[in-house]
């Protein structure tokens, strides 16, 4: 009695989230899948492929035992669970084998192959075949004698897997780059519009008592120098990025009660191009060369020289 079997491996889906690609071939099946590292709430799905083994038993009435198949590589070595897990008709195979009962009226056996997490961490290419583990007595499989080949002809699985960057990570990184670029542009524009001046020393004389002289050293360039009668005042550390550096100088024993602010004069930046003002409108300022006479509401005067 002739006992022959025709096995056709048909690819019907290559699963990867919502992104799939299937290539139909004349012999066996080709698949392409992708995976990525988990990032925030974007997790990758299990990387798997699905296929159907179509079997046609001819004149096999005398066969009562099952046909057992397994995946093997090009060296005819079985594929272990450390590489992939095999599911047969929706159930996980404990030994990564496929059992087909010739008495079963169904001609199709659905298989799923799920790659292990260790495998999907990089690009991989697999070429697998089906080989017979237990032959119930078949003399021909796909028109060839079982055992004459290390695997069954025409059952090749070609699987190309790519490890890509998490799409959420790409979006976040792109957004951060755009945000940083915009921030850098804003800072550059702000810095270009800031007028600065440099004063080596500031000499404050109370003109009512010419022996009273306060020397303040300011070797850096500033957008403003604030002479204040209130100690402990400081500029916010982020503010210089957008409005320029402001120097607060505490003037102990100052006769004024409101800040006196020195700023660059005009649009040109020059060491001596300085003007002064106060938030208190009762103060008046008169420029004399490289000095400013500040008149207080009580008619007392102070001289600021740089």
């Amino acid at each position: 009695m002739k006992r022959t079997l025709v096995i056709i491996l048909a690819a019907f889906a290559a699963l990867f989230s919502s992104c799939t690609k299937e290539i139909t071939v004349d012999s066996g099946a080709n698949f392409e899948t992708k995976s990525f590292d988990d990032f925030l709430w974007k997790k990758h799905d299990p990387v798997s492929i699905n296929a159907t083994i179509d079997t046609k038993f001819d004149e096999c009435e005398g066969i009562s035992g099952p046909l057992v198949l397994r995946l093997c590589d090009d060296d005819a070595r079985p594929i272990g669970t450390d590489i992939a897990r095999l599911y047969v008709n929706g159930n996980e195979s404990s030994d990564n084998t496929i059992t087909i009962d010739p008495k079963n009226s169904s001609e199709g056996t659905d298989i799923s192959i799920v790659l292990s997490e260790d495998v999907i961490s990089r690009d991989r290419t697999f070429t697998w075949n089906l080989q017979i583990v237990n032959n119930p007595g078949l003399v021909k499989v796909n028109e060839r004698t079982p055992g004459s080949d290390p695997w069954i002809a025409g059952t090749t699985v070609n699987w190309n897997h790519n490890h890509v960057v998490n799409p959420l990570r790409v979006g976040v990184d792109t957004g951060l780059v755009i945000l940083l670029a915009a921030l850098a542009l804003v800072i550059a524009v702000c810095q270009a519009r800031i007028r600065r001046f440099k004063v080596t020393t500031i000499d404050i004389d109370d003109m009512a008592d010419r022996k009273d002289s306060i020397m303040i050293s300011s070797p850096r360039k500033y957008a403003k120098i604030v002479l204040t009668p209130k100690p402990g005042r400081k500029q916010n550390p982020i503010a210089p990025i957008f409005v320029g550096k402001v120097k607060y100088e505490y003037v102990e024993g100052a006769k004024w009660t409101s800040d006196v602010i020195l700023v660059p004069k005009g649009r040109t930046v020059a060491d001596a191009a300085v003007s002064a003002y106060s938030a208190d409108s009762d103060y008046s300022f008169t420029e004399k060369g490289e000095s400013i006479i500040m008149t207080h509401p009580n008619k007392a005067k102070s001289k600021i020289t740089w």
Side-chain angles (χ1 to χ4, degrees), residues 131-271:
Q131 71 180 178
I132 298 176
V133 177
N134 181 49
N135 184 0
L138 294 168
V139 295
K140 288 285 185 179
V141 177
N142 284 6
E143 299 302 323
R144 298 182 69 86
T145 303
S148 61
D149 300 304
W151 51 75
I152 302 171
T155 62
T156 301
V157 175
N158 297 304
W159 190 347
N160 182 35
H161 175 73
N162 296 312
H163 188 71
V164 299
V165 181
N166 190 308
L168 179 61
R169 180 67 178 267
V170 173
V172 170
D173 289 349
T174 302
L176 287 176
V177 170
I178 295 175
L179 181 61
L180 290 175
L183 180 61
L185 179 61
V186 171
I187 291 174
V189 172
C190 290
Q191 289 290 315
R193 294 174 60 88
I194 296 173
R195 293 181 292 126
R196 301 175 178 86
F197 64 99
K198 180 178 179 180
V199 176
T200 303
T201 60
I202 299 175
D203 184 2
I204 303 175
D205 291 328
D206 185 344
M207 297 184 68
D209 182 359
R210 292 184 176 275
K211 294 180 180 180
D212 182 13
S213 179
I214 302 173
M215 300 292 293
I216 300 174
S217 177
S218 300
R220 295 181 57 182
K221 285 189 176 182
Y222 295 101
K224 294 179 183 179
I225 295 179
V226 180
L227 308 177
T228 177
K230 302 175 182 179
R233 296 184 62 187
K234 292 182 180 180
Q235 187 182 23
N236 184 299
I238 299 178
I241 300 176
F242 301 98
V243 299
K245 181 70 176 176
V246 176
K247 175 69 172 178
Y248 285 89
E249 283 288 355
Y250 169 55
V251 182
E252 187 177 2
K255 299 301 188 293
W256 60 85
T257 58
S258 179
D259 294 341
V260 175
I261 303 171
L262 304 181
V263 296
K265 183 179 180 181
R267 294 186 176 275
T268 60
V269 178
D271 290 350

